[in-house]
Amino acid sequence: MSRAAFYEALVHDSILNGLGINEDTVFHNWSSEERPSNENAFAILRWGEEGGPIWGSEVDRGPRDVTVWVHFPSELTNDFDEVTKVLNRMDVVLADLRDVSGNDGYTLSFVKVGGRSPDLLDEGFNTITRNANYAVYSVLS
Amino acid sequence: MAVNAPTIEFTGVEQLAKAIEQHDQKVKRYVAAQVLRAAQVDAPAWMKQNAPWTDRSGNARAGLHAVPKSIEQGKAFEIAFAGSVFYQIYLETRFSGKYAILMPAANYIGKLLLQRIGEGLDKLEAVS
């Protein structure tokens, strides 16, 4: 399922770093109800279902869904363009990935870019947020 | 034109067109049946089983449902996923989707449908 390659691609991209996305602000399946960062944008990766092959032609398994939530604390901004800017760059970074080995024993084959949510308010974290869906295709290394 | 020129005669065009039309109808009926099954059986069951919150009244879990819809007489199909409690929106959006169930269900059911339709079309091709 290539969590490692997916994560590394996001946290090591210099443009995303400039937008506040880095090793300290990207989290897998954040389960606490406390906001992970008060001073920066942050992103939470929700790893979803991993289905069987859809058309029977995939090498290994079907894609794994991952939903990326990008947040900005409401005290910092109420401009959803800031959120969209991060998502746009993530689309570019992820769509460019081809056969990238991760240190978790999986090789990410490619990522299919999916849809995005509307502008949302996360009243739990008190942030503005949007999320984007991706389908991650991978094989065991 | 030479009298004895080789020719290809293509007959049965009407029957072929009719067979294609019937095949289209079969495909449409098959897809409609799968959409109906996914919305009425699979989606509610999956959502009720996988909703990640701890029940208090049980109303939120019990109210999860999906509604199928045919658009323009079967040119497209749609399934709407919904909950029946007023706070469903907060379950979906608070804490970065920690308690979300509707979008994960849409992703899961979408793939399941593609899988079934793919398998079913193979079978339809085989018997046609």
Side-chain angles (χ1 to χ4, degrees), chain A residues 44-95:
Chain A
I44 293 177
L45 316 181
R46 295 270 179 225
W47 290 88
E49 288 288 326
E50 185 175 23
I54 293 176
W55 301 110
S57 56
E58 292 92 341
V59 178
D60 195 354
R61 297 192 62 77
R64 179 140 192 208
D65 294 323
V66 58
T67 304
V68 179
W69 291 71
V70 173
H71 297 260
F72 275 80
S74 297
E75 309 87 82
L76 293 185
T77 182
N78 59 6
D79 182 0
F80 279 92
D81 285 345
E82 298 290 320
V83 182
T84 304
K85 230 184 272 177
V86 175
L87 289 175
N88 287 345
R89 181 59 193 169
M90 283 183 171
D91 279 1
V92 172
V93 169
L94 294 171

Side-chain angles (χ1 to χ4, degrees), chain A residues 3 7 10-11 20-31 34-37 40-47 66-69 71 125, chain B residues 96:
Chain A
R3 286 174 205 264
Y7 174 85
L10 295 180
V11 301
I21 299 298
N22 55 53
E23 281 179 334
D24 297 326
T25 58
V26 180
F27 307 91
H28 292 288
N29 299 324
W30 180 263
S31 59
E34 193 173 330
R35 188 159 77 186
S37 171
N40 292 302
F42 60 94
I44 293 177
L45 316 181
R46 295 270 179 225
W47 290 88
V66 58
T67 304
V68 179
W69 291 71
H71 297 260
F125 287 150
Chain B
S96 212

Side-chain angles (χ1 to χ4, degrees), chain A residues 92-139:
Chain A
V92 172
V93 169
L94 294 171
D96 276 352
L97 298 177
R98 289 287 181 281
D99 299 325
V100 182
S101 297
N103 60 14
D104 56 358
Y106 286 87
T107 296
L108 184 150
S109 305
F110 65 95
V111 177
K112 196 173 161 206
V113 176
R116 290 181 185 173
S117 76
D119 296 348
L120 295 169
L121 298 175
D122 183 330
E123 297 192 6
F125 287 150
N126 195 25
T127 53
I128 60 168
T129 182
R130 292 187 72 193
N131 63 64
N133 284 296
Y134 301 94
V136 180
Y137 289 77
S138 56
V139 291

